Amino acid sequence: MWNRPVDKLIAGMLTLISPDGTVRDGLSITLEETRELYADMVEARTYDHKCMAMQRQGRLATYAPFEGQEAAQIGAAAALRPDDWVAATYRDAALMWRAGYPWALLIAGRTGDERGGQAPDGLNVLPPSITVGGHMIHAVGLAWAEALNGSDRVALTSFGDGATSEGDFHEAMNFAAVYTTPTVFLCQNNGFAISYPRDEQTRSESIAMKADAYGMPGVIVDGNDVAAVLTVVGEAVARARSGEGPTLIEAVTYRLGPHTTSDDPARYRDEDETGEWRTRDPLERVRALLERAGAWTPEWHAELEARSADVIEEAVAEAEALPRPTAAEMLSRMYAQPTGPLRAQLDEIGA
Amino acid sequence: MSEQTLAQALNGALATALETDERVVLLGEDIGRTGGVFRITDGLRAKYGEDRVFDTPVAESGIVGAAFGMAIAGMRPVAELQFLGFSYPAYDQIINHVARIRNRSNHRFTAPMVIRVPYGGGIGAAEHHSESTEAIYAHIPGLKVVVPSTPSDARGLLLAAIEDPDPVLFLEPIRLYRAVKEEVSELYYTTEIGPMRVEREGRDITLISWGAMIKETRAAAGQLEEKGASVEVLDLRTLSPIDQDGIVASAAKTGRVVVVHEAPRTAGLGAEVAAIIQERVLYSLLAPVRRVAGWDTVFPLKRSEAHYLPSPDRIVRAAEETLEA
Ligand SMILES: Cc1ncc(C[n+]2csc(CCOP(=O)(O)OP(=O)(O)O)c2C)c(N)n1
Ligand SMILES: [Mg+2]
């Protein structure tokens, strides 16, 4: 087992909370902060499970689950300031939510409603990118603009291992380094681009090492360790905020579920591998740590689960209560004002 | 002969091509291990080997650019892009390289390659998974664009596309992959790229469509026939080179034409069809050529899909107005 490329990554990555919950040197967050991060991960997992169930019931369109990647997403978002920019993907609901995006809107999007993409006013989170790789350069432009405008906001872009194969990855990394933009590149290496294993996508030993060629730091972090991710992303954010430029972070993690609800992982991966990663579960290690410190009880956990279930149920109700979108709305959000042909088409549908 | 879906016919055609022409290779995202998102290449890697069927990194420009190089070097690559909405990173390769090399090298180098792409809406898919942007490809000189809507055409046209000396964009209507079944020959045969298919003959009005919209068009034709009209339905099946003579002959015969497409109306191929007709047989027309098309919007998400897709009702209404004009 110990000669796969991923094992080398695991051996070299920064871990602060081991899979068994023991603490390594350098853990600097408080017990209370750890409890909050744990609670956030429980809430995110509740959302994820709920969406999987709703999709099976036909209440959602295709859904891309993030189970197993909660630490990477919650830890990264927790390192941001509420006014920072986020440009993430279809798999990043937990990250977007922790950055301020309401569950109800995330669910609305998944029911197939464009209103789900309308971030609340003042929140600098873009709609999730469905095209692989197209959005990384946006985080360069966002961050560049902030720097030019003299603000100290940063932009974080999250993407998968697969996205680093797109030409757009190269352009984004190069621009960010050339213009020293305050951009944080967070790659969640979850082992696969749909069925295509990370080790076949690139002959590079790591994704982080690609940073070197662009002239920016690259860091490998245990993506299933919320504290390590928070620390590493926190350092990259601080670097960016102080004008030192971009960082590429490779969070080593694993997608425990299918690529999407249309995918059958049995066609391309071994259940043993998934089982092995279940032992590295991002929630379980924090639970073990907290329990050892006397800060976790089954009662508290049950309370968290019940509260999360309520919160998610409410969000579902809110999303499903949105009035059926009309054809006129569809035709009216293409331009600031409907153009001539669209006005004619609005007439045609009787709007 | 055996009863096959459109998806099975495509899979069979690819197997036949791999079997009969050793220059044929397949490349695309997830096409090897899993047989692709729609399983069109299912089983082909196991049967024909890892040096014939390649899983590639997520890189559309890379897939098409590499296939282009292979084609110039004498192979017959068949590339798959996962959805038409993800083809645009490859657009530069297609418009600036694939479609131009014959011209640039004055026939010295050519690109006999096929780019297969699932397209079209109606399955409540996520953003970018429902596009019908065939017009921006049919507009590229040097590229052929083909769209089968029946299993036997799927086999014949795909084999013809692979044989073709020029690059072919082969669009596969997602909604029809498993919705249509018919007897398909297992022999090697090709269906000529170019000529349209007369889906049904009639005298009073011509409905012209292609791809998945053939389904709604066929349904509309049925309703119109019940009301006493004699309806001709044309399945263009090649969008470039478009069958000008076939379109004109039918328009001259019926004098009334409605074009149906899923793509947005403005600058869609319906405009090209209408232009061809008025250039050649304006004075045979008894009514203006009408278009029933998608609205000039982004293809909507699941909850609004029904607002967007042309329905049989919309086609019937346009046809009735055309018949009354
Ligand atoms: C440009 C583009 N090509 C192809 C796809 C289809 N697709 C969706 S997700 C995916 C794999 C992406 O893998 P990765 O970047 O590792 O992200 P993950 O899904 O593992 O989170 C592919 C090929 C797409 N959405 N966009
Ligand atoms: Mg991945």
Side-chain angles (χ1 to χ4, degrees):
Chain A
M1 274 283 173
W2 280 85
N3 52 11
R4 298 167 309 179
V6 68
D7 295 318
K8 231 175 177 174
L9 290 181
I10 291 172
M13 70 194 178
L14 176 77
T15 297
L16 295 175
I17 307 173
S18 318
D20 64 2
T22 52
V23 170
R24 303 215 185 143
D25 281 352
L27 181 70
S28 61
I29 56 172
T30 66
L31 210 54
E32 196 42 45
E33 284 167 333
T34 312
R35 272 166 61 94
E36 280 168 25
L37 291 166
Y38 181 75
D40 287 346
M41 291 195 289
V42 169
E43 187 164 326
R45 185 163 286 184
T46 307
Y47 166 87
D48 195 60
H49 288 179
K50 179 70 185 176
C51 286
M52 287 300 280
M54 285 177 71
Q55 203 282 338
R56 305 275 184 239
Q57 296 159 353
R59 290 156 76 189
L60 298 186
T62 318
Y63 176 70
F66 54 72
E67 184 174 15
Q69 301 179 220
E70 291 88 348
Q73 297 193 17
I74 296 293
L80 295 173
R81 220 167 58 191
D83 62 338
D84 285 331
W85 288 98
V86 172
T89 78
Y90 50 84
R91 200 180 303 291
D92 287 326
L95 194 161
M96 290 174 65
W97 165 71
R98 185 58 181 74
Y101 213 92
W103 288 131
L105 287 177
L106 289 162
I107 296 166
R110 299 283 65 73
T111 64
D113 190 325
E114 282 79 359
R115 289 169 292 192
Q118 186 184 347
D121 287 344
L123 183 70
N124 296 327
V125 178
L126 300 188
S129 180
I130 311 295
T131 69
V132 169
H135 64 297
M136 300 176 280
I137 188 71
H138 305 162
V140 176
L142 292 163
W144 194 1
E146 293 297 348
L148 291 172
N149 288 333
S151 107
D152 68 347
R153 275 187 206 132
V154 308
L156 178 139
T157 180
S158 165
F159 50 90
D161 46 298
T164 65
S165 295
E166 291 278 6
D168 284 357
F169 171 73
H170 164 73
E171 298 186 20
M173 292 285 288
N174 193 46
F175 264 60
V178 165
Y179 296 106
T180 323
T181 67
T183 307
V184 177
F185 291 90
L186 174 71
C187 178
Q188 291 174 61
N189 170 5
N190 64 1
F192 294 91
I194 309 187
S195 70
Y196 199 47
R198 190 334 304 221
D199 307 335
E200 292 180 38
Q201 295 166 28
T202 169
R203 297 290 180 220
S204 298
E205 247 175 46
S206 73
I207 287 164
M209 74 191 294
K210 293 176 193 272
D212 198 35
Y214 295 98
M216 71 171 84
V219 185
I220 307 178
V221 65
D222 185 340
N224 286 13
D225 174 353
V226 71
V229 173
L230 173 62
T231 302
V232 165
V233 176
E235 285 165 7
V237 166
R239 247 180 66 80
R241 224 185 282 294
S242 62
E244 289 169 68
T247 306
L248 171 63
I249 296 163
E250 175 175 4
V252 181
T253 181
Y254 192 85
R255 156 166 67 71
L256 290 173
H259 170 70
T260 67
T261 42
S262 321
D263 175 50
D264 172 14
R267 293 179 80 104
Y268 55 84
R269 71 183 188 191
D270 202 333
E271 270 309 307
D272 287 352
E273 186 185 88
T274 315
E276 180 192 333
W277 277 92
R278 285 210 177 267
T279 68
R280 312 183 56 84
D281 188 279
L283 277 70
E284 178 50 30
R285 66 178 73 189
V286 183
R287 190 203 62 75
L289 176 155
L290 290 172
E291 188 172 20
R292 205 164 301 136
W296 184 95
T297 60
E299 293 73 33
W300 179 59
H301 185 83
E303 198 182 300
L304 280 183
E305 284 195 326
R307 199 173 67 209
S308 299
D310 286 349
V311 167
I312 301 301
E313 283 306 333
E314 249 172 67
V316 168
E318 197 182 321
E320 291 190 331
L322 278 174
R324 208 185 132 66
T326 66
E329 284 165 347
M330 178 179 79
L331 272 67
S332 302
R333 61 170 163 253
M334 293 308 302
Y335 299 94
Q337 296 297 329
T339 53
L342 280 165
R343 282 201 304 277
Q345 291 173 25
L346 280 161
D347 279 348
E348 206 175 319
I349 62 167
Chain B
M1 298 288 273
S2 68
E3 175 139 292
Q4 294 178 23
T5 62
L6 200 138
Q8 288 165 332
L10 291 168
N11 179 270
L14 291 170
T16 300
L18 286 161
E19 193 77 52
T20 54
D21 186 345
E22 63 186 16
R23 298 169 304 170
V24 172
V25 291
L26 314 187
L27 65 166
E29 295 158 16
D30 305 289
I31 69 165
R33 244 184 219 88
T34 67
V37 281
F38 291 105
R39 309 281 179 251
I40 304 304
T41 54
D42 201 13
L44 298 180
R45 188 167 88 155
K47 181 135 189 237
Y48 297 99
E50 295 188 11
D51 53 355
R52 304 285 307 275
V53 181
F54 297 96
D55 272 333
T56 69
V58 187
E60 292 74 17
S61 179
I63 293 167
V64 171
F68 175 63
M70 288 176 162
I72 293 176
M75 301 194 76
R76 294 273 165 161
V78 181
E80 175 180 302
L81 303 180
Q82 280 189 344
F83 288 87
L84 196 53
F86 304 139
S87 67
Y88 314 125
Y91 200 75
D92 174 62
Q93 286 294 330
I94 296 172
I95 193 167
N96 282 332
H97 300 285
V98 173
R100 292 175 82 108
I101 189 64
R102 181 183 291 282
N103 178 273
R104 293 180 67 216
S105 69
N106 195 26
H107 296 287
R108 169 67 175 79
F109 298 113
T110 59
M113 59 187 276
V114 178
I115 306 168
R116 297 181 33 248
V117 199
Y119 92 110
I123 57 163
E127 230 181 320
H128 312 283
H129 291 69
S130 305
E131 315 259 302
S132 288
T133 48
E134 65 269 22
I136 66 173
Y137 287 100
H139 193 64
I140 300 178
L143 181 72
K144 297 182 179 179
V145 182
V146 170
V147 188
S149 78
T150 69
S152 45
D153 274 1
R155 180 177 175 84
L157 286 168
L158 184 49
L159 288 171
I162 295 169
E163 270 188 11
D164 202 279
D166 287 303
V168 178
L169 179 74
F170 194 88
L171 297 174
E172 302 171 0
I174 294 169
R175 199 149 49 93
L176 300 186
Y177 267 143
R178 290 172 174 83
V180 286
K181 255 193 166 177
E182 71 181 3
E183 289 291 320
V184 178
S185 163
E186 269 128 27
L187 299 177
Y188 191 101
Y189 70 90
T190 58
T191 303
E192 193 186 343
I193 292 177
M196 53 151 212
R197 182 175 64 87
V198 180
E199 149 103 15
R200 116 195 242 158
E201 287 194 58
R203 293 176 313 276
D204 300 334
I205 187 167
T206 304
L207 306 183
I208 302 179
S209 193
W210 55 88
M213 267 299 132
I214 280 292
K215 209 169 154 214
E216 281 68 20
T217 305
R218 194 183 289 141
Q223 290 181 32
L224 290 161
E225 294 262 351
E226 273 171 31
K227 296 180 182 178
S230 167
V231 182
E232 182 140 304
V233 176
L234 309 184
D235 173 4
L236 284 189
R237 73 181 173 178
T238 294
L239 303 180
S240 176
I242 197 164
D243 186 356
Q244 298 195 355
D245 292 345
I247 291 168
V248 161
S250 180
K253 176 169 83 172
T254 63
R256 301 175 199 272
V257 179
V258 175
V259 194
V260 182
H261 61 68
E262 203 172 303
R265 180 186 298 179
T266 296
L269 281 175
E272 181 63 28
V273 172
I276 289 166
I277 293 170
Q278 68 84 22
E279 278 170 352
R280 302 239 328 242
V281 288
L282 177 66
Y283 301 112
S284 306
L285 289 181
L286 303 168
V289 177
R290 293 278 301 256
R291 288 177 285 172
V292 178
W295 310 112
D296 289 345
T297 68
V298 166
F299 193 98
L301 298 181
K302 190 176 180 203
R303 293 191 75 190
S304 297
E305 214 170 45
H307 294 318
Y308 180 90
L309 285 172
S311 61
D313 280 355
R314 262 175 76 196
I315 303 168
V316 167
R317 233 179 299 135
E320 285 178 337
E321 283 165 22
T322 303
L323 283 163
E324 283 154 20

